[in-house]
Amino acid sequence: MTAVSDRRQLAYIAAQAADARVNVELEAEGMTLNIGPQHPATHGTLRIVARLDGEQVIEADPIMGYMHRGYEKLAEVRTYPQVTTLINRIDWLGSFANEVPFILAAEQLMDIEAPPRAQHIRTILFEMARIANLTLFLGDMGVQLGAVTPVFYAFRDREHILNQIEAATGGRFHPNFDRIGGLKDDLPAGWVAETKESLGHITKFCNLMDDLLIGNEIFEARTRGIGVVPADVALSYGLSGANVRASGVDWDLRRDNPVGLAYDKVDWKVWTHPDGDSFARYWVRLQEVRESVKIVEQLLDTIPSGPIMAKVPRIIKVPEGEAYVETENPLGVMGYYVVSKGGLNPFRVKIRSASFSNMSITPWLLKGTYVPDVITILASLYFILGDIDR
Amino acid sequence: MGLVPGLITGLGVTLKEVVKTATKGAETVQYPHVKEDPPPRARGVIALHEENCTSCMLCARECPDWCIYIEGHKDLAPPRRAGGKPRTVNKLDRFDIDYGLCMYCGICVEVCPFEALFWSPEYEYSEPRIADLLHDKSRLGQWMDTVPEFEAYEGGAETKAKKVPRP
């Protein structure tokens, strides 16, 4: 005899099977195409289930979670200094940028402000993380469209920035350099001059991309008018960063809300593009890298002297309360909602990562596009799987 | 866009790069034959200066993934002056770091209050067996020779430069 719960389960399975049969019979003409989970266009393991009618996508469904590492939950059993080692690994191309909002939130709770020198160097490294992240995008976008050359130049020139990050922090990919109340260490001698030299490589790289991709007829034909996101749709889906600026929305947290960072001390510009298509997203990011180079160059000349750490207790206990801080990361707006109950560990950390929200537009955006354009659109939205799944 | 079509401009760029590579040499480092020189701060491997360690367990406790194993005992050492009481010293029996687990975050080096742990930029210690990645205290002590001196700081810094203890 089977138990009641077992019988209920069997009935449920039978009903599911019947539903599936009906679905198969109804949609006999369509074809389901699995893009991913292992696909070079997805920067990790993202799966997109696309229902096709010929070459056209009727319906696309992103399925994520193949790389979920549970950082929000893990942060609850780590002390505050330990959390930064974990969140380094969220957006792995611009790791330093992940640490900043968390540290700022913790500093807000503890009512500590980092000394000006620390804030300054923090901003420099933040922008260098953006350069390291976006230069790879600028080359990688070509690969998605079949132009293999740009990505080699991207890796070559990005190396100079990574070397400088390593010289200052000790880690190429996972700096773990930001501390509550300041930074781990001061800059080594000669770093400023070397960094200025490495920025020259990035400026040259941007000009290369101008010649190789922006002015290329094939690239324009593949990206212009593909995946158009109107401004109101972009905002309603919670897009942020260059994706929303490419739709003509003039919104940049670096300019609008520079909490604890030295952006107000430099002269730079927020670029927008009215088109909202894949080309606009590429173009905006290219200009953004140029602006970042400008910001870093200006900041390097004006590093104030002083201490690198504020007065912080040796054992960090964060007083009870909650704080939400968001910054403009390479991929978009990233925020940490930190709730503390006064202990060594955070009680809850909610991570608002940019790629997760940027991904949410794909079912709307991919509807009605053609299969080759799916790759273009995914590439131009620019997400990193670590940032989606956390 | 200039007067020349984009395609030709792009091919020109590639040609320029080809000439550059042919004349100035490739940017790629042929790894096993040519080795890159990591900066002195690079987090390659952790070295242990055993004399300074008091087996206080701070590093083992602060490690985010608990990959440091420490065992120690209290020992009696001869008194400093003749006729004095014998001193108690902390003897280190075991100090293992499991590099199969280590995240290379550097928290252990940072929290050590007695300056017993140091970063060395050495990176060639891969093993065919994962169990061999567990370095015991004699192996960790050997890395001490590869630890570079701390660099001087950039102008305007108020942090004091530290020194590496040498035998």
Side-chain angles (χ1 to χ4, degrees), chain B residues 35-104:
Chain B
K35 275 166 195 163
E36 262 199 274
D37 200 15
R41 277 192 191 180
R43 300 201 291 260
V45 66
I46 297 165
L48 170 71
H49 188 64
E50 206 188 316
E51 288 87 76
N52 281 0
C53 182
T54 59
S55 56
C56 68
M57 304 283 281
L58 261 181
C59 51
R61 231 184 314 154
E62 289 293 321
C63 180
D65 45 7
W66 306 290
C67 68
I68 304 178
Y69 308 96
I70 299 177
E71 278 163 25
H73 69 275
K74 288 229 160 68
D75 212 357
L76 286 181
R80 278 214 182 84
R81 280 167 293 157
K85 265 198 202 165
R87 293 174 295 142
T88 50
V89 285
N90 294 313
K91 269 275 161 63
L92 194 63
D93 294 330
R94 180 187 179 210
F95 192 105
D96 294 352
I97 296 181
D98 188 351
Y99 283 108
L101 284 177
C102 181
M103 298 207 300
Y104 298 86

Side-chain angles (χ1 to χ4, degrees), chain A residues 20 35 243 335:
Chain A
I35 302 169
N243 289 333

